[in-house]
Amino acid sequence: MDHLPASGTPVRRKEDARLLTGRGRFVSDLALPRMRHVAFVRSPVAHGRITGVDTAEALEVEGVSAVFTGEHPAIGPVALRAQSALPGYVETDQPPLARGKVRFAGEAVAAVVAADRYVAEDGAEAVVVDYEPLTPTVCAWAAPTDPVHDEAPDNVLLSRTFRAGDVDAALAGAAVIVDRELTTNRHGGNPIECRAGVARYEAADRKLTFWSGTQVPWIVRTQLAELLDLPEGNIRVIAPDVGGGFGVKAVLYPEDVALCLMAMAMPGTALKWVEDRVEHLLAATHARDHRYVLRAGFAADGELLAVKADVRCNAGAYSVYPWTAGIEPLMAGGLLTGPYKLADYECTVRGVATNTSPSGPYRGVARPSTVFAMEALMDSGARALGMDPIALRRRNLILPADIPYKMPSRLVDDSGAYEACLDKAVETFDLHRWRAEQTRRRVEGGRPLGIGVGLYNELTGLGRAASAGPRMAFRTGHDACTVRINPDGAVTVFSGVTSQGQGLETTMAQVVADALGVDFGDVEVRIGDTDESLWGFGAFSSRQAVIGGGAAHLAGEHVRGKALALAAALKEAPVEDLDLRGGQVFMAGQAKPIISLAEVAKVAYLQSDRLPEGFEPGLEGTKFYDPIRGAFAAGAQIAALEFDPATGEIGILDWVCVEDAGRIVHPVIVDGQIAGSIAQGIGGAMYEHLVYDDAGNLTTGTLLDYLMPTAGEIPELRIGHVSTPAANPTGVRGVGEGGTLAPNAVVAGALADALGVEIDDLPVTPARVWELMHP
């Protein structure tokens, strides 16, 4: 029987046996000897000076072991500083526990260590903190009051202008000019598992072990080594099973550092902290609090001539470590133009500090907002020109003949599949049928119906040479993979990727099984432990299938070559005539194998006396992969929505998404990633909003106030694919974030289409719909 490839097939996921039977290994499951629990005291004040901290009463609570403040000798000297070589970037410090000043409501001021979490919480309530209030700044585009940081009197931590061509001249020659001012709503990832960590320090060998629900264990290790003055080899970071990340866990938080510092002050004691949902909403990173002031010029035939933009992104109280306050504004300015050709472009972006929770990476990083902005310009341009909005988009798309296409921000787009995605989406959606239904309702009556469209490019797997010079900082680095054939012929893979539910144990096993020539079931993948694998940058920027998969493929091919060379020497056969399939070595033209991989491995490990001259014992190899350019993934979404005049209720009648994922490793995982990201995008477009009052208090601090979609609000999604293999070892394009990019544009566009109005602010809630329908 021919050996069938694992890639491209929906093999049973390796993770599912433990995850579906309740045997997952999460940080909160960890129980160690001499473990103590930690609760943080958090500021109720958005901006103020700390005038006193009294811990005496807390220390008297039975079961409390210790109380730490920002002035404690174990904590005091350390500060996180997100550094950047970008010109004009203002670096600021973030202490593990607030020192001297608090900058947002929810900032950790003290930490209580106790026998269990309940006692720790009692101790935290007994800590008395005195504050001298300062005036908070909540809105990033309002005039600043008391600066958040003295280093930035105007609160601007980063400002950058992207410029190509002559925008003013192009606008002067435009047949139509459209202006829009848009704001997008503040929200965040909200994974099922909140942040969590366990730290233990052994003083005898200066060894720190940190179990963390992180997306970036190797980056965390490097940062902890710098902050704690420990050799990097003395720090082990373990990311076990992680219950979702979405970018929220791609940050080294001050609580993480405080936990490790406290563990070092209490050697031999394991300290555990598991965040509750209120803490998460209050103090984990937020995202997408943006304002876009836009002007675009179009020719009479619909050609997009110029875009001029001013973008302000709310960076919150601190630059998150290590991403800086530039992560959202730089992504916004670099990718605002999306899948559209444009020669003349000017965009000034700013990251602005405010007295709100810090902003950080969240699935799509700024691009759900930029796609909303760009698609709004397209819809406005179509209305001004009297053109069909889809025809206008087609007029301006980057096409296969344009590839490689140098975007105005100097990024190079390698996809060109945008029109193919749009065509297939329109066909699957049956646009003519829905337009006919829309017309019928307008004539005969019924709930207004609108059709929304969103086109996007997702930049995935960006490597060392892909950043566009000093104006951008999008590099995501290399990954490494070690493939080891064991003495019994089974295979162990040590990969630098890390999983938060994406099924990477499965997909890496598929890639290696095919590259090496063994059965999928014979491959075991180990990830998430810095003591087991070589460096991997981790999970962000839809990079792991592209870069981690590339390293896995190269390592598998390398070890395959070593195994075939040894088999050829053992059988005295030309190596070029041999093939390795299903763990068996075949001679060209022969149906029966001449030797099994297990037999080859047995010689390599256990019978070194049989090793031919020039062969060393063992069968393993390590390869790195760092792409020259990223792999752009194209996407198109189109949906029909109806709106109830009586209640403002929004009904999603149909939703179609077509993406170019390149070669697909696991179809079910890919579709699951796309569906999940669309669900999060719909949540951001219609429900989720972190709202602060003027005093800097979070008014949506529980899931009673912060609405998240359930299965009942998410429609049956119709997902399709086109396939343009990327120029990387596996031909894949990332799919982790693309689905989130279009829902803002789709929902707002559908409402505008239904009611004939322009939607400038998100989210699109029933209350907002009702107001528009009853002016």
Side-chain angles (χ1 to χ4, degrees):
M1 180 181 294
D2 291 337
H3 172 64
L4 298 176
S7 294
T9 60
V11 295
R12 181 173 292 183
R13 298 197 336 162
K14 289 181 176 287
E15 303 89 337
D16 287 350
R18 69 175 186 275
L19 295 177
L20 296 179
T21 58
R23 292 179 174 85
R25 300 178 293 270
F26 297 87
V27 173
S28 59
D29 296 321
L30 194 63
L32 298 174
R34 300 183 62 190
M35 179 175 279
R36 295 292 183 269
H37 295 257
V38 174
F40 287 99
V41 179
R42 298 189 179 275
S43 171
V45 174
H47 199 193
R49 294 186 179 90
I50 300 172
T51 58
V53 182
D54 186 349
T55 64
E57 186 178 341
L59 287 168
E60 293 177 358
V61 175
E62 184 177 355
V64 169
S65 305
V67 180
F68 293 83
T69 69
E71 303 296 338
H72 191 285
I75 305 292
V78 176
L80 296 85
R81 172 169 280 213
Q83 297 177 321
S84 173
L86 291 165
Y89 173 69
V90 179
E91 295 181 358
T92 58
D93 287 343
Q94 182 176 20
L97 298 173
R99 282 196 302 270
K101 187 178 181 181
V102 292
R103 293 180 171 86
F104 70 97
E107 183 171 5
V109 177
V112 176
V113 180
D116 61 43
R117 178 63 183 261
Y118 302 101
V119 175
E121 292 282 2
D122 291 341
E125 290 183 5
V127 174
V128 178
V129 185
D130 295 322
Y131 302 94
E132 177 188 325
L134 297 169
T135 305
T137 298
V138 176
C139 179
W141 39 95
T145 49
D146 294 330
V148 179
H149 297 275
D150 293 340
E151 300 92 330
D154 59 357
N155 285 338
V156 176
L157 300 181
L158 175 131
S159 178
R160 185 71 66 249
T161 297
F162 297 80
R163 188 176 286 111
D166 188 337
V167 171
D168 291 336
L171 288 172
V176 164
I177 291 177
V178 297
D179 293 284
R180 298 291 297 267
E181 182 173 337
L182 310 171
T183 61
T184 56
N185 48 314
R186 183 186 190 96
H187 52 290
N190 272 291
I192 291 177
E193 179 198 35
C194 293
R195 296 178 291 162
V198 174
R200 182 176 64 190
Y201 180 70
E202 302 298 338
D205 53 7
R206 298 186 70 210
K207 181 81 174 181
L208 174 70
T209 304
F210 183 43
W211 290 265
S212 174
T214 179
Q215 298 174 224
V216 287
W218 282 267
I219 291 178
V220 166
R221 183 184 69 174
T222 296
Q223 294 166 347
L224 287 175
E226 294 175 358
L227 293 168
L228 307 183
D229 193 25
L230 286 173
E232 192 156 340
N234 284 26
I235 300 175
R236 182 184 186 185
V237 178
I238 302 171
D241 291 323
V242 179
F246 313 122
V248 173
K249 296 177 184 174
V251 173
L252 180 64
Y253 284 93
E255 292 94 338
D256 299 330
V257 179
L259 201 64
C260 293
L261 288 168
M262 292 186 293
M264 293 177 69
M266 302 175 68
T269 300
L271 300 185
K272 181 177 186 177
W273 170 62
V274 178
E275 180 185 56
D276 63 33
R277 186 62 59 180
V278 170
E279 286 183 291
H280 183 85
L281 288 166
L282 195 61
T285 53
H286 298 170
R288 301 179 186 164
D289 188 358
H290 301 180
R291 184 191 69 169
Y292 293 77
V293 178
L294 305 159
R295 169 165 285 189
F298 293 86
D301 66 352
E303 179 187 0
L304 179 64
L305 299 178
V307 170
K308 191 170 188 175
D310 183 271
V311 181
R312 283 183 172 254
C313 300
N314 189 337
Y318 296 98
S319 289
V320 293
Y321 199 70
W323 301 108
T324 82
I327 184 169
E328 287 200 307
L330 290 176
M331 290 292 275
L335 290 162
L336 175 63
T337 56
Y340 301 110
K341 289 183 284 192
L342 183 65
D344 298 288
Y345 176 63
E346 183 179 310
C347 178
T348 297
V349 297
R350 296 176 181 86
V352 183
T354 65
N355 296 113
T356 61
S357 181
S359 294
Y362 172 39
R363 200 174 197 172
V365 185
R367 287 165 290 170
S369 300
T370 65
V371 173
F372 168 53
M374 200 65 198
E375 297 299 277
L377 287 178
M378 287 293 171
D379 285 337
S380 293
R383 279 190 289 271
L385 289 165
M387 287 184 66
D388 177 80
I390 291 179
L392 180 71
R393 287 168 167 83
R394 276 204 180 91
R395 172 68 180 81
N396 291 287
L397 285 174
I398 299 167
L399 300 174
D402 303 313
I403 299 302
Y405 182 78
K406 190 173 183 179
M407 298 172 66
S409 60
R410 296 168 54 195
L411 287 169
V412 177
D413 191 322
D414 71 326
S415 173
Y418 305 106
E419 188 172 48
C421 288
L422 177 60
D423 289 344
K424 188 168 183 178
V426 167
E427 180 184 357
T428 304
F429 179 72
D430 196 351
L431 178 61
H432 295 297
R433 179 175 69 87
W434 282 113
R435 284 295 185 203
E437 173 62 15
Q438 183 182 55
T439 301
R440 185 194 67 78
R441 292 189 184 198
R442 287 173 175 169
V443 173
E444 300 178 7
R447 293 181 177 180
L449 184 149
I451 296 166
V453 180
L455 304 183
Y456 50 93
N457 55 2
E458 179 190 359
L459 178 55
T460 75
L462 197 57
R464 59 189 163 97
S467 66
R471 293 191 292 173
M472 301 172 67
F474 296 166
R475 172 182 169 150
T476 69
H478 64 263
D479 261 5
C481 183
T482 299
V483 172
R484 177 184 300 158
I485 301 174
N486 298 310
D488 61 357
V491 179
T492 305
V493 177
F494 301 92
S495 174
V497 303
T498 180
S499 181
Q500 298 77 49
Q502 306 98 315
L504 286 161
E505 292 174 47
T506 298
T507 52
M508 292 302 114
Q510 289 177 280
V511 169
V512 170
D514 289 347
L516 184 56
V518 299
D519 289 331
F520 169 75
D522 290 334
V523 181
E524 177 191 1
V525 176
R526 297 183 185 175
I527 58 178
D529 187 334
T530 61
D531 270 12
E532 284 196 342
S533 303
L534 289 178
W535 179 275
F537 273 77
F540 56 91
S541 193
S542 297
R543 64 181 301 282
Q544 297 198 105
V546 177
I547 303 179
H553 177 86
L554 294 175
E557 283 194 326
H558 175 65
V559 176
R560 172 193 177 91
K562 294 177 70 171
L564 285 174
L566 179 53
L570 291 172
K571 290 298 183 179
E572 298 182 351
V575 67
E576 61 270 17
D577 290 343
L578 300 185
D579 189 20
L580 178 56
R581 306 191 305 272
Q584 303 289 330
V585 179
F586 293 84
M587 179 77 76
Q590 295 185 12
K592 291 185 178 181
I594 62 171
I595 192 172
S596 69
L597 183 59
E599 292 175 276
V600 175
K602 185 176 181 180
V603 172
Y605 287 97
L606 304 176
Q607 299 174 356
S608 54
D609 57 308
R610 292 182 57 194
L611 281 173
E613 185 177 352
F615 285 86
E616 294 182 347
L619 275 177
E620 69 174 69
T622 298
K623 287 292 180 181
F624 292 81
Y625 180 59
D626 191 349
I628 298 300
R629 291 199 178 104
F632 273 89
Q637 295 179 33
I638 183 168
L641 282 69
E642 64 177 6
F643 305 91
D644 188 336
T647 65
E649 180 183 0
I650 305 168
I652 300 176
L653 304 178
D654 195 11
W655 197 293
V656 170
C657 173
V658 176
E659 286 200 7
D660 176 14
R663 290 197 179 99
I664 292 176
V665 178
H666 194 294
V668 174
I669 288 177
V670 166
D671 283 358
Q673 285 285 292
I674 294 172
S677 57
I678 293 173
Q680 282 191 302
I682 290 173
M686 296 170 56
Y687 300 100
E688 302 177 48
H689 195 185
L690 291 158
V691 180
Y692 285 89
D693 65 18
D694 291 341
N697 301 305
L698 183 65
T699 63
T700 53
T702 74
L703 294 184
L704 291 174
D705 312 293
Y706 181 86
L707 300 181
M708 295 181 65
T710 70
E713 284 74 49
I714 303 302
E716 290 293 328
L717 302 169
R718 296 198 282 159
I719 298 171
H721 301 277
V722 300
S723 181
T724 309
N728 57 54
T730 57
V732 303
R733 301 178 186 273
V735 296
E737 301 172 271
T740 61
L741 307 187
N744 283 343
V746 170
V747 172
L751 180 56
D753 182 53
L755 303 185
V757 298
E758 291 189 333
I759 308 303
D760 295 329
D761 305 299
L762 296 175
V764 177
T765 63
R768 178 66 175 141
V769 172
W770 192 91
E771 290 172 357
L772 289 171
M773 299 181 82
H774 300 83

